[in-house]
Amino acid sequence: MKRIVSVLMMTCFGARAQADAAPITFTFPAAPAGQTLDGRLLFLLSTDPADEPRNQIDPTVDSQLVFGTDVENLRGRTLSVPVNALIGYPIRSLRDVPPGEYNVQAVLHRYETVHRSDGHTITVPMDRGEGQKWNRAPGNLYSKPVKMRLRPGAALRVVLDQTMPPIEPPNDTKYIRHVTIKSKLLSEFWGRPIELTAHVLLPEGFDEHPNARFPLVVAHDHHRGDFPGFRTEPPDPELKPDYSERFHLAGYNRIEQQEAYAFYQQWVSKDFPRLLIMYIDHANPYYDDSYAVDSPNVGPYGRAIHTELIPAIEKQFRAIGQGWARFAYGGSTGGWEALAVQVFNPDFYNAAFAACPDPIDFRGLTNIDIYAHKNAYYIEGKHQRVLQPGQQDADGRTLATIKSNNELEQALGSRGRSGEQWDIWQAVYGPVGSDGYPQPVFDKETGVIDPEVAKYWREHSDLSAIVKRDWATLGPKLRGKMHVYVGTSDTFFLANGVYYFEEMLKALDPPADAEVVYGLRFEHCWNGDPTRPNHLTRLRYHTMYVTKMLERMQKTAPKGADLSSWRY
C-alpha cells in the first residue's frame, strides 16, 4: 500500500478558531470480514530525531507530544477525526502546538471485547506478551514516522500500514527455566484464556542433587519477559557505553552487566545457599502487573498465583513447599506486592522484604491523603492553590506533578485504560463502576476526590489500615515477618506511606517486631543498604536479603524440617 502523508494545516495549531481546524484522516488496512477495529488512536509529534515518536512519550519534562481518542466498532478503512476530539499531553490541545517541523506518527492500540464473569462486557487492551506497552504490543497498527514542516492550507492524512510483530519468548538455559500455565480462575473471570508465566532461577547443582528440596523465593517486579539481573558471561567488551540521566553515570549498561555477572559468580559459589527464585509475569488489561492480589476489576490474581502457579512451580522444581521455606521480596510495585502477599497470606510466607513500596498507607498516596484531602491535584488555601508534585529528584526538585501524570494517562486511554500507574491503582484498589470499568477515586479532569471510593480503598487495599484492623488475628502470624526499606528522597514520594505505616506498627499490641529502615537522601528504589550508592544496591536484590532469610528459617523451621538437603 502506498504511504500517503502530507502536512497538517497550521490552523490546527493555534492561530484560528476551532471551527476552522481541519480534521485528520487516518487510513487503516482492510479488516477481515465481520471484524471491526477498536482501540485507542494515538497521534504523535516529536522534535527529537533520535527515535520514533512512539518511543518518546513518558511522564518526564522531556516527553514528546501525544494526542489520543477512542476508536469504536470501525468497519471502514478510513476515519476522519476532528481536532477537538483529541486529548493531548503534555500540550492539552492540538491547536496549541506551535508551528514548526515535526516527526509525525500514529498508533492504534488494539482493544478486545471481553465478557467477564461478573456480567460486564468491556473493551480493553488484553496483553499480548509485551507487558502492556502500547508502543510495541503485537498486532497494533502504526505508521512510519515522517518528518514534515507544518504550514497553512494543508490537510493531514496518515496511513497506518505497519503491524507490530509478536514478542519472541525466551529460551530455557541451564539455570533459567520458563513455565507458562493457563489459569482456570483468571480464564473464567475474563471469559477467555489467560496465562501466567514464571521465570525460575535454578540453584547450582540442581540436576546433580535429585534428592534435594529447596526453599522458594518469589521476587515481585514489573513484567520482565525473562529472569533479570543474571549473566553467565563477563560484560561485553564491545558494548557501547550509555549514559544514565537518573544516576548521572556514563556506562551504566556496563555496570548492569558486571553486577549481573557478579551475581552469577556468587550464585554458583561453594558457600551460597541453594534456593529457587521465581519472577512472575502477570500483565493484564490495565497494567504490566496485577499487584498479585484479588481485585474486582483485574480478577483473582492473588488466588491464581498462590493456588495455581506457585504449586505448579514447587512441584516441577522440587521446592520444600511449606510456609517456613517461602519468602517474598521486591521493590516499588514489587515492594507493595511483597508486603501485600505476606499480609493477605500470612501463613504462606515466612517473611517479606518490601523496598520502596508503592503506597502502603493511603494517607500517604504519594503526596495525597485520600481520606482527608478534597483534591488530588492541588494543595488548596483560602486564596490560592498549588499543584501537588508527583515526582522529584534526589535534591527535591519537582520533575512532574500528579496532575501532569494523569493528563498523560488521559491522552493514552479513557476509562482507566492507559496502562499507567494511577489507572492500575484505581483498578486494583477500587470498585467496579456501573459501566464495568474501574471507578475512579478522583475525577481526572478536576482532581476532586470521591470519599466513598476512598472508603472502599481503605477497607480492601490499604495495607496499613488492614494490618491495624485485623491485628488480633494477624499478629501471631505476622510478627517478625515484615521488613520495609525506603529512601527519604524517594522519587515518587513513597516514603510518605511508610512513615504512616511505621507509626501504625509502633502502636500495635502485641508488638509487630517489624523492621522499617530509611535511607537518608536515597531516591527510588533504595533497598536497605546504606553503605553503597543506589545505582549499585538496586541491582543486588537477589542477594540483599539472603542472610536474613537463612536466619529466619533456622529460627522458625518446625521440628524435623529439611534444613540440610539444599545446603550442599
Side-chain angles (χ1 to χ4, degrees):
M1 180 183 295
K2 183 179 180 181
R3 181 163 46 92
I4 306 171
V5 181
S6 60
V7 293
L8 178 62
M9 60 188 297
M10 197 173 77
T11 56
C12 294
F13 290 76
R16 299 184 185 177
Q18 174 177 313
D20 294 332
I24 307 170
T25 299
F26 298 90
T27 301
F28 306 93
Q35 295 187 16
T36 62
L37 287 178
D38 297 274
R40 187 69 171 180
L41 181 59
L42 302 172
F43 179 63
L44 307 148
L45 301 174
S46 173
T47 56
D48 182 357
D51 202 349
E52 295 184 39
R54 63 181 168 129
N55 300 324
Q56 297 177 321
I57 307 301
D58 57 51
T60 74
V61 70
D62 294 320
S63 178
Q64 296 297 324
L65 305 173
V66 57
F67 301 86
T69 190
D70 288 335
V71 172
E72 299 177 350
N73 298 313
L74 179 65
R75 296 184 180 276
R77 294 186 59 192
T78 62
L79 180 66
S80 183
V81 178
V83 170
N84 63 357
L86 294 161
I87 184 170
Y89 166 87
I91 297 176
R92 195 72 163 163
S93 173
L94 189 59
R95 75 179 52 82
D96 293 328
V97 175
E101 188 172 77
Y102 294 88
N103 282 340
V104 174
Q105 190 171 36
V107 172
L108 179 67
H109 188 25
R110 302 285 296 272
Y111 290 178
E112 176 183 332
T113 297
V114 292
H115 307 279
R116 287 198 320 223
S117 62
D118 62 0
H120 288 290
T121 296
I122 59 175
T123 304
V124 288
M126 303 304 293
D127 188 74
R128 286 153 263 165
E130 84 288 352
Q132 199 51 245
K133 299 292 186 290
W134 59 266
N135 62 339
R136 62 187 188 94
N140 277 0
L141 304 176
Y142 70 105
S143 65
K144 291 183 178 179
V146 174
K147 182 180 293 185
M148 65 185 188
R149 180 171 295 279
L150 306 175
R151 63 178 185 270
L156 179 67
R157 185 178 181 90
V158 182
V159 177
L160 290 82
D161 56 0
Q162 306 293 308
T163 302
M164 297 181 191
I167 303 296
E168 292 295 326
N171 295 320
D172 285 350
T173 68
K174 174 183 177 181
Y175 294 101
I176 299 173
R177 308 292 167 83
H178 312 278
V179 178
T180 297
I181 67 166
K182 178 184 176 182
S183 168
K184 181 175 184 292
L185 288 166
L186 294 170
S187 298
E188 288 177 351
F189 176 82
W190 283 104
R192 48 97 77 198
I194 299 292
E195 296 179 334
L196 290 171
T197 294
H199 309 291
V200 185
L201 180 64
L202 302 184
E204 174 70 9
F206 177 83
D207 293 325
E208 291 76 18
H209 294 80
N211 295 321
R213 297 177 68 84
F214 306 95
L216 175 68
V217 182
V218 182
H220 288 281
D221 200 352
H222 294 280
H223 178 95
R224 288 291 193 164
D226 204 342
F227 192 98
F230 186 84
R231 181 182 176 88
T232 58
E233 298 177 353
D236 180 2
E238 303 299 322
L239 181 66
K240 182 179 179 180
D242 65 2
Y243 182 80
S244 170
E245 292 287 349
R246 175 179 178 181
F247 298 115
H248 308 296
L249 282 174
Y252 192 58
N253 53 346
R254 291 184 174 179
I255 294 173
E256 290 176 317
Q257 287 194 358
Q258 179 58 53
E259 287 295 313
Y261 180 61
F263 172 49
Y264 158 71
Q265 292 176 304
Q266 191 172 2
W267 184 253
V268 302
S269 64
K270 179 179 179 181
D271 297 327
F272 197 84
R274 307 311 180 190
L275 311 167
L276 297 166
I277 304 179
M278 64 177 282
Y279 274 80
I280 307 170
D281 278 350
H282 41 123
N284 58 85
Y286 296 107
Y287 201 50
D288 75 343
D289 191 288
S290 73
Y291 279 63
V293 295
D294 293 352
S295 58
N297 289 293
V298 183
Y301 273 90
R303 283 182 291 146
I305 289 169
H306 290 92
T307 67
E308 295 179 331
L309 181 63
I310 290 178
I313 296 302
E314 291 186 326
K315 180 179 180 180
Q316 181 170 345
F317 298 110
R318 307 197 312 267
I320 292 170
Q322 297 179 27
W324 67 268
R326 292 193 198 97
F327 298 86
Y329 67 76
S332 193
T333 291
W336 190 95
E337 289 173 327
L339 187 60
V341 298
Q342 180 68 82
V343 169
F344 292 129
N345 309 274
D347 295 320
F348 196 82
Y349 299 94
N350 203 359
F353 302 87
C356 54
D358 280 16
I360 54 179
D361 188 309
F362 297 153
R363 292 173 293 176
L365 186 73
T366 68
N367 277 320
I368 309 166
D369 180 341
I370 65 168
Y371 312 126
H373 294 168
K374 304 296 184 185
N375 196 291
Y377 293 165
Y378 299 98
I379 304 169
E380 297 183 311
K382 294 183 181 301
H383 304 292
Q384 65 172 325
R385 57 183 186 172
V386 178
L387 282 169
Q388 285 271 28
Q391 189 174 338
Q392 64 174 346
D393 65 14
D395 295 320
R397 290 184 287 261
T398 298
L399 302 177
T401 68
I402 294 174
K403 187 173 186 289
S404 70
N405 286 164
N406 281 275
E407 287 175 343
L408 170 59
E409 296 193 4
Q410 283 184 288
L412 293 179
S414 64
R415 294 176 171 176
R417 295 175 292 188
S418 70
E420 296 291 327
Q421 185 64 77
W422 291 90
D423 276 348
I424 187 57
W425 283 345
Q426 73 178 17
V428 171
Y429 304 153
V432 179
S434 59
D435 60 358
Y437 297 92
Q439 181 69 30
V441 72
F442 57 79
D443 186 288
K444 279 189 175 280
E445 283 292 331
T446 65
V448 173
I449 294 172
D450 184 332
E452 291 304 313
V453 176
K455 289 179 183 178
Y456 186 99
W457 281 38
R458 175 191 282 146
E459 180 72 15
H460 295 86
S461 300
D462 186 321
L463 299 183
S464 182
I466 291 168
V467 168
K468 179 181 179 180
R469 180 194 68 200
D470 298 338
W471 190 245
T473 55
L474 286 177
K477 300 179 178 183
L478 287 182
R479 289 189 69 180
K481 291 185 176 182
M482 295 181 288
H483 305 261
V484 183
Y485 314 93
V486 70
T488 59
S489 296
D490 187 273
T491 310
F492 306 102
F493 302 96
L494 298 178
N496 292 340
V498 177
Y499 296 145
Y500 285 115
F501 185 77
E502 183 187 29
E503 181 183 80
M504 177 276 301
L505 290 176
K506 289 179 177 178
L508 293 176
D509 184 23
D513 295 337
E515 178 187 31
V516 181
V517 182
Y518 302 98
L520 182 63
R521 291 197 70 192
F522 280 102
E523 42 75 81
H524 201 66
C525 192
W526 185 71
N527 57 8
D529 184 352
T531 65
R532 294 178 178 85
N534 199 32
H535 76 269
L536 288 179
T537 60
R538 66 182 295 271
L539 302 176
R540 299 181 179 182
Y541 273 87
H542 301 314
T543 57
M544 186 72 73
Y545 313 117
V546 168
T547 299
K548 293 182 179 181
M549 293 177 191
L550 294 175
E551 292 174 351
R552 180 76 184 172
M553 283 189 282
Q554 293 282 353
K555 179 180 177 181
T556 61
K559 186 176 181 179
D562 180 5
L563 291 169
S564 60
S565 74
W566 48 278
R567 297 304 302 271
Y568 51 80

